[in-house]
Amino acid sequence: MAGPTSTLIPKTADEHSVPGAVTSESSSADSLSVFETLSSSMNGNADDGNVKDKVDDAPVVIDAAKAIELKDKGNVALAQYHFNEAVELYTEAIANDGTNAVFYSNRAMAYIKMESYGLAIVDATRSIELNPKYVKGYYRRGSALFALGRTKKARKDFRTVCGHNPRDRDARSKLAACDKAVKETAFAAAIESSSTEPLSATLDAGAIRMEPSYDGPRVVPVEVADADKKEEFFFAPGMLPVDFVMAFVGHF
């Protein structure tokens, strides 16, 4: 089983509820590429769901009041399904105040709605770095991770959310979905064994030896430099003589 068949989408952006999800020009493949790049540059922290001890680039505050105003406009745009506009407004808010975890989390929400999951992970991770107690950062990163099939990592984030809000039914439902997906993947891996491989992948032609009592048709001897490789030579595709095969079938 290849992983989850559905995408978990957060239901709220700050104070506003935004139902449903839409498809944008950003593809899941592009998001996956962004996600892998992020994981590499952060030594795997985003992939593992860990939080770095501090933010790499010290955020600055230029105009906190203007940033809040831009964030509020972004929330309105998001509620009206204007996701690109919302991203632009949140980006302007961050430019005016890079210390507010809510701005990054809300932009992550907009990216999730656009199915730009890799970018959502970047922003949600930064939100968590700025404020490890801001639960929505974990929720949105978990949602993006789940959408990319990183169910174990998503489960870790949803466990964090449920740890802070044990009565949050939505988070518990998403945690259950992650648990189910992880178990299905583990089960599929467990039943996959060498017994499911084709005979051609496991047969060692060189190990086959003729019983002394065998009185059926035999392959006409052919000079092979390595005697131990003779049987392997004849069992190679296209090397077994047709007349031998027909005689063999008639004998048995």
Side-chain angles (χ1 to χ4, degrees):
M1 205 159 290
T5 56
S6 62
T7 300
L8 302 180
I9 299 296
K11 295 193 298 184
T12 61
D14 204 15
E15 303 88 359
H16 296 274
S17 176
V18 185
V22 299
T23 300
S24 72
E25 295 178 358
S26 300
S27 67
S28 296
D30 292 337
S31 296
L32 182 58
S33 177
V34 172
F35 171 75
E36 298 293 359
T37 301
L38 172 69
S39 298
S40 175
S41 64
M42 297 180 64
N43 297 320
N45 283 336
D47 190 26
D48 294 334
N50 298 327
V51 183
K52 293 196 294 184
D53 294 333
K54 60 182 179 179
V55 179
D56 292 335
D57 302 321
V60 297
V61 179
I62 297 177
D63 190 334
K66 182 178 180 180
I68 292 294
E69 179 182 347
L70 288 164
K71 182 266 295 182
D72 290 340
K73 291 181 178 179
N75 289 347
V76 172
L78 190 60
Q80 295 176 346
Y81 311 105
H82 301 154
F83 304 127
N84 286 318
E85 179 184 350
V87 167
E88 292 175 0
L89 288 165
Y90 292 138
T91 300
E92 290 185 42
I94 291 169
N96 281 275
D97 183 359
T99 67
N100 196 317
V102 173
F103 301 163
Y104 284 98
S105 177
N106 282 13
R107 191 170 68 175
M109 171 68 173
Y111 280 137
I112 289 173
K113 291 296 186 180
M114 296 166 67
E115 299 185 4
S116 295
Y117 302 118
L119 294 173
I121 293 171
V122 174
D123 274 359
T125 299
R126 178 51 65 94
S127 175
I128 294 167
E129 291 170 353
L130 289 168
N131 185 358
K133 295 183 179 180
Y134 186 60
V135 179
K136 286 185 179 180
Y138 296 96
Y139 183 96
R140 285 160 187 169
R141 187 172 68 180
S143 298
L145 286 166
F146 186 93
L148 291 179
R150 267 57 175 185
T151 51
K152 286 186 178 180
K153 314 308 177 186
R155 181 173 63 177
K156 184 174 182 179
D157 278 340
F158 284 123
R159 280 176 175 169
T160 299
V161 175
C162 291
H164 283 83
N165 299 319
R167 297 184 180 181
D168 188 330
R169 292 183 178 180
D170 184 65
R172 293 182 69 85
S173 173
K174 289 169 174 54
L175 176 58
C178 286
D179 277 330
K180 180 181 179 182
V182 169
K183 290 176 181 177
E184 287 176 346
T185 301
F187 177 76
I191 62 175
E192 194 173 316
S193 66
S194 59
S195 62
T196 62
E197 296 181 10
L199 182 61
S200 59
T202 59
L203 178 64
D204 182 5
I208 300 176
R209 294 292 181 267
M210 189 76 70
E211 292 292 334
S213 60
Y214 174 71
D215 61 354
R218 297 173 181 270
V219 177
V220 176
V222 174
E223 290 299 325
V224 178
D226 187 347
D228 292 333
K229 296 292 184 179
K230 183 174 294 187
E231 292 87 352
E232 186 174 349
F233 171 80
F234 280 117
F235 279 101
M239 297 303 298
L240 200 61
V242 176
D243 56 350
F244 166 76
V245 175
M246 299 305 296
F248 188 84
V249 171
H251 180 77
F252 290 97

